[in-house]
Amino acid sequence: MSFKNGKAADEQGSTIEHLKYGGQPIVKIIVKLVNFIFQHINLPSDLKSGICYPVFKNGGKPRDVPNWYRKITVTNTIGKVVEKLHLSKNVNIIKDKQSRLRKGFTEGECPSVAALILTELKAEAKKLKKQLIITLSDAQKAFDIVWHAGLMREMYKGGMTGDNWLLINE
């Protein structure tokens, strides 16, 4: 029930509302399917696919330039449930390994706090007459490509092992 309503439908036309309001028959089917996935570490190929949509970035830019669009992928609705359950099962492993300075895309954190930390660092470096080198990633392109082998390596190094690691690898 914690999923947001009103999101785009997946390739099969399913939305989270179908699962939320489908009643006990849907719940029973989803429970059996999710339990099978976790017990057998086998993610059906239908749950691994998604459909890509171009989304215009706005800001008065010309709509006929492909770079002013970002791509979003709408993944399978049941796959989202599996992903959320797996994440909730492993949240402590992830939180223990994640830098306490990370603010973006982190539950309970606000990216503006990162800006405050950076502002304070700059002020302190200026006061102490010390050089401060700040490096920022290109947020526009930050999420376009995921190097899966590197992601798997980092997850393994971070403590994601056994069935947890195998399910993500699957």
Side-chain angles (χ1 to χ4, degrees), residues 109-167:
E109 294 288 353
C110 179
S112 59
V113 173
L116 176 64
I117 292 169
L118 188 58
T119 303
E120 291 297 316
L121 281 171
K122 285 174 60 179
E124 186 174 334
K126 187 175 182 178
K127 178 180 163 189
L128 298 174
K129 294 183 170 56
K130 291 194 172 191
Q131 182 182 24
L132 175 66
I133 299 172
I134 301 168
T135 305
L136 304 171
S137 66
D138 181 0
Q140 180 182 6
K141 303 286 183 185
F143 304 105
D144 287 355
I145 298 171
V146 174
W147 177 40
H148 289 98
L151 174 65
M152 297 306 298
R153 183 191 70 225
E154 292 303 314
M155 288 173 52
Y156 178 77
K157 285 173 32 183
M160 189 76 63
T161 59
D163 289 351
N164 292 320
W165 190 85
L166 290 172
L167 186 63

Side-chain angles (χ1 to χ4, degrees), residues 6-164:
K7 297 293 183 172
D10 66 15
E11 288 178 289
Q12 289 78 32
S14 297
T15 64
I16 211 67
E17 288 90 342
H18 288 110
L19 302 183
K20 283 182 168 183
Y21 308 119
Q24 279 304 311
I26 294 293
V27 170
K28 286 179 182 178
I29 292 168
I30 299 299
V31 167
K32 283 185 179 187
L33 179 60
V34 169
N35 283 338
F36 179 87
I37 289 168
F38 283 126
Q39 287 169 359
H40 299 280
I41 320 296
N42 186 348
L43 200 59
S45 58
D46 285 354
L47 301 187
K48 297 178 189 179
S49 66
I51 186 165
C52 292
Y53 292 101
V55 177
F56 187 62
K57 294 180 183 176
N58 292 326
K61 298 169 180 136
R63 289 186 174 268
D64 58 347
V65 177
N67 279 342
W68 296 128
Y69 288 82
R70 62 185 174 89
K71 176 176 64 174
I72 63 162
T73 304
V74 178
T75 56
N76 183 283
T77 302
I78 296 170
K80 290 176 188 174
V81 172
V82 171
E83 182 182 333
K84 191 166 198 168
L85 288 169
H86 189 264
L87 177 63
S88 69
K89 191 173 140 182
N90 293 288
V91 70
N92 290 336
I93 293 171
I94 295 165
K95 281 191 175 180
D96 287 347
K97 301 299 179 188
Q98 183 174 305
S99 168
R100 62 183 182 81
L101 296 175
R102 180 171 176 177
K103 303 298 175 198
F105 299 103
T106 302
E107 185 179 354
E109 294 288 353
C110 179
S112 59
V113 173
L116 176 64
I117 292 169
L118 188 58
T119 303
E120 291 297 316
L121 281 171
K122 285 174 60 179
E124 186 174 334
K126 187 175 182 178
K127 178 180 163 189
L128 298 174
K129 294 183 170 56
K130 291 194 172 191
Q131 182 182 24
L132 175 66
I133 299 172
I134 301 168
T135 305
L136 304 171
S137 66
D138 181 0
Q140 180 182 6
K141 303 286 183 185
F143 304 105
D144 287 355
I145 298 171
V146 174
W147 177 40
H148 289 98
L151 174 65
M152 297 306 298
R153 183 191 70 225
E154 292 303 314
M155 288 173 52
Y156 178 77
K157 285 173 32 183
M160 189 76 63
T161 59
D163 289 351
N164 292 320

